[in-house]
Amino acid sequence: MSLSPKELTKLMVILDEENMETPLDNLIKQLHQEFPSKDKFKVGLTLVLLLQQIDLLPNHISRLIAIAMLYHLYPGEQFSSTPFASVFNQMLKPVDNSSNQDLKSQPSGHLSQSETKFVASLIAHHSPDLLKLTPRQVFEELYFSSMSSVEQLTTFQLKLAESTSEFPSISKCGIPIILPDSDGKKIEAKKADKKDIIENLIDGDPPLSSQNYRPEFLRLAPPLYDHPAGGLKWMSVTEPSQFSPEYDVNMCVSNSAGAEARRLMRKAFTKVLTPQQQQHLSTELKKDPKLVYHIGLTPSKLPELVENNPLIAIEVLLKLMQSSQITEYFSVLVNMEMSLHSMEVVNRLTTTVDLPTEFVHLYISNCISTCETIKDRYMQNRLVRLVCVFLQSLIRNKIINVQELFIEVQAFCIEFSRIKEAAALFRLLKQLESGDVAGLNASTTKKNLDVS
């Protein structure tokens, strides 16, 4: 679980202070190019060791690079659930000058004010703009900045506490295997000597994968079973006719149905399923209503499912209506990029179940805003026609109270009056305004939103 000398050399090249004029995002990209995903944890352990030992990484430029790389070691994952989140929590703790500080060997005691601000900025704001700067520019910018991110940092620390609350107490005990030299004399080591020291620490015994000594957890041996006189009846059956064996008929039965549903759902996120595959997935979901909670769908993956397989998206959302996460799914659906498929999903949901009024209104407002801001004239005309047909469907089915959106929708129709669908929607609004319900009921509802 440790880097080889060759891999360590690659890492130290990236951490070199000579990279002070290289943007941080380039250095992070170089790290992911040099080390495959399977080596992330080993790289993280090495970075933690270097940050904990001020003698091994004394330059503030190198420490800034190490902090940025450690934070972005697991892109795309929630940071509080990554293996090294607790290290950043330690960095943010105030310096303790008590006598026990040497034993703890916490990074927070070594970081400068600028470096601590950098850690706080990463956690609270993710700071994409800072990563475009060079380490030297980051250090200079944060040196004079005054930032307050107490609320965001507290949220991070709460999430971290929740994720670690289930850990056994024994896993939180221990002392570091590497302790700093208590001698106050500072001797500047050569770069080659420092590299040898780091190599020996990583490849030495005990290995880097166990950076803490923990006490052995002792358990009492269970007592031996004291066989009572005569024993238990079920242990010594003398009359076979008195008993009949009972078998669990579900034992060892393959749960291939759930596995196949999960496989199809993973495929549905990236490509269009064939009609046979859609039918199979739909059948499995109908057989087991709870299967929808175990097939890998999350709110963040909903846009991919909507764009590739809208009919499946409609079906799973209907089954998730009683879920505690349904509001989160609605929020993602409202804010995703407007398209024919997203409108088809929303339209089908509105005609099947009672959606929250604020959700429908927000989606309509987002559709109108998208039409007004799009630059491509052809795409703009097509989307306007889609929105107009969609709004007519909602109005004719009495799903929305158009009076609550009257001004916004009327302005939309006037702006795009050159398009016949917008003109038709405007006439419908005027009919409603004048109380002409006969005109409203005269034409049938359009369920198909496909406008070529």
Side-chain angles (χ1 to χ4, degrees):
M1 287 298 295
S2 59
L3 296 178
S4 66
K6 185 178 179 181
E7 291 170 331
L8 179 61
T9 301
K10 291 181 182 179
L11 182 63
M12 297 308 294
V13 167
I14 303 175
L15 291 172
D16 198 293
E17 60 188 281
E18 293 180 1
N19 292 320
M20 67 170 64
E21 299 299 335
T22 305
L24 283 172
D25 52 1
N26 288 354
L27 295 173
I28 294 169
K29 189 181 299 182
Q30 183 181 347
L31 176 75
H32 288 288
Q33 290 173 348
E34 293 286 355
F35 297 94
S37 297
K38 63 182 179 64
D39 291 337
K40 284 180 181 179
F41 190 67
K42 295 193 292 186
V43 172
L45 286 175
T46 304
L47 290 173
V48 170
L49 173 68
L50 296 175
L51 285 169
Q52 286 180 332
Q53 308 303 321
I54 186 67
D55 297 331
L56 302 180
L57 210 63
N59 187 275
H60 66 270
I61 295 294
S62 298
R63 288 199 298 273
L64 273 179
I65 298 173
I67 292 168
M69 292 197 305
L70 187 61
Y71 182 85
H72 292 89
L73 201 55
Y74 293 86
E77 297 185 26
Q78 186 177 3
F79 177 65
S80 59
S81 63
T82 58
F84 302 105
S86 59
V87 176
F88 284 80
N89 192 32
Q90 289 296 132
M91 291 180 185
L92 294 171
K93 285 186 178 180
V95 180
D96 183 8
N97 294 321
S98 65
S99 58
N100 293 329
Q101 180 63 24
D102 288 339
L103 289 177
K104 294 178 182 176
S105 184
Q106 301 296 356
S108 57
H110 303 320
L111 297 188
S112 65
Q113 188 177 15
S114 296
E115 291 160 359
T116 306
K117 288 180 183 178
F118 183 54
V119 172
S121 182
L122 284 174
I123 295 172
H125 310 294
H126 308 299
S127 304
D129 295 333
L130 278 180
L131 297 181
K132 293 181 172 56
L133 304 178
T134 66
R136 180 183 59 79
Q137 291 171 330
V138 169
F139 189 82
E140 292 173 353
E141 181 171 320
L142 292 177
Y143 184 80
F144 297 102
S145 71
S146 59
M147 56 181 296
S148 176
S149 308
V150 176
E151 183 179 347
Q152 294 92 331
L153 294 178
T154 303
T155 302
F156 157 72
Q157 289 165 339
L158 285 174
K159 286 183 179 179
L160 184 61
E162 289 175 3
S163 63
T164 58
S165 61
E166 300 299 325
F167 291 177
S169 299
I170 195 70
S171 67
K172 304 172 188 176
C173 303
I175 61 172
I177 60 172
I178 304 171
L179 300 177
D181 187 358
S182 58
D183 189 354
K185 298 177 182 178
K186 290 293 181 183
I187 302 175
E188 186 65 29
K190 296 180 181 178
K191 185 179 292 187
D193 295 337
K194 200 176 299 179
K195 180 176 177 295
D196 291 339
I197 294 171
I198 296 173
E199 281 186 13
N200 290 331
L201 287 174
I202 292 176
D203 290 334
D205 186 24
L208 183 62
S209 57
S210 56
Q211 290 193 28
N212 290 283
Y213 281 124
R214 294 188 178 93
E216 183 181 357
F217 186 55
L218 301 178
R219 297 176 175 87
L220 292 175
L224 295 175
Y225 175 63
D226 186 12
H227 193 302
L232 299 175
K233 282 191 174 182
W234 61 269
M235 292 178 65
S236 54
V237 179
T238 56
E239 300 179 16
S241 59
Q242 186 179 349
F243 303 96
S244 60
E246 293 288 341
Y247 294 100
D248 183 357
V249 294
N250 294 319
M251 187 182 297
C252 299
V253 174
S254 173
N255 188 21
S256 58
E260 178 65 12
R262 288 189 290 273
R263 186 189 70 81
L264 288 175
M265 182 57 74
R266 286 196 299 269
K267 193 173 183 180
F269 294 139
T270 57
K271 58 180 67 175
V272 179
L273 297 181
T274 64
Q276 293 81 3
Q277 290 173 328
Q278 291 188 40
Q279 182 60 42
H280 183 76
L281 181 55
S282 177
T283 301
E284 296 300 333
L285 290 172
K286 288 176 182 175
K287 284 182 183 178
D288 183 2
K290 294 184 179 180
L291 184 60
V292 70
Y293 298 100
H294 309 289
I295 53 176
L297 178 64
T298 61
S300 61
K301 293 181 180 179
L302 181 61
E304 300 169 1
L305 183 62
V306 168
E307 289 304 322
N308 288 292
N309 295 277
L311 295 180
I312 297 296
I314 293 168
E315 185 165 351
V316 296
L317 285 174
L318 290 175
K319 292 184 180 299
L320 288 167
M321 288 302 295
Q322 303 304 319
S323 167
S324 60
Q325 281 190 300
I326 190 62
T327 304
E328 194 172 347
Y329 282 104
F330 284 160
S331 177
V332 170
L333 186 59
V334 164
N335 292 292
M336 69 175 287
E337 186 176 350
M338 176 193 144
S339 66
L340 170 62
H341 286 168
S342 71
M343 295 184 70
E344 181 181 357
V345 171
V346 174
N347 186 56
R348 184 73 67 85
L349 289 175
T350 55
T351 56
T352 308
V353 295
D354 292 330
L355 296 183
T357 304
E358 61 273 14
F359 160 73
V360 181
H361 287 182
L362 181 57
Y363 185 75
I364 292 171
S365 298
N366 286 349
C367 289
I368 291 175
S369 176
T370 301
C371 292
E372 291 172 344
T373 55
I374 194 169
K375 301 298 182 183
D376 187 293
R377 187 65 175 266
Y378 170 77
M379 286 301 300
Q380 185 184 57
N381 291 345
R382 187 170 185 272
L383 291 178
V384 169
R385 295 167 67 191
L386 278 172
V387 173
C388 290
V389 174
F390 174 63
L391 287 173
Q392 288 188 61
S393 172
L394 295 179
I395 294 171
R396 294 183 190 281
N397 284 309
K398 299 181 181 179
I399 292 168
I400 62 169
N401 182 3
V402 75
Q403 297 302 325
E404 298 177 4
L405 296 167
F406 189 86
I407 296 176
E408 186 177 5
V409 175
Q410 182 176 253
F412 171 73
C413 294
I414 294 173
E415 181 178 358
F416 297 102
S417 57
R418 67 180 186 276
I419 300 173
K420 65 178 183 178
E421 285 80 6
L425 178 59
F426 185 78
R427 287 195 297 272
L428 180 60
L429 292 177
K430 290 303 178 184
Q431 288 175 359
L432 291 172
E433 190 177 25
S434 62
D436 181 12
V437 294
L440 176 63
N441 299 323
S443 58
T444 58
T445 302
K446 290 189 178 181
K447 295 292 179 67
N448 186 2
L449 297 176
D450 188 10
V451 179
S452 57

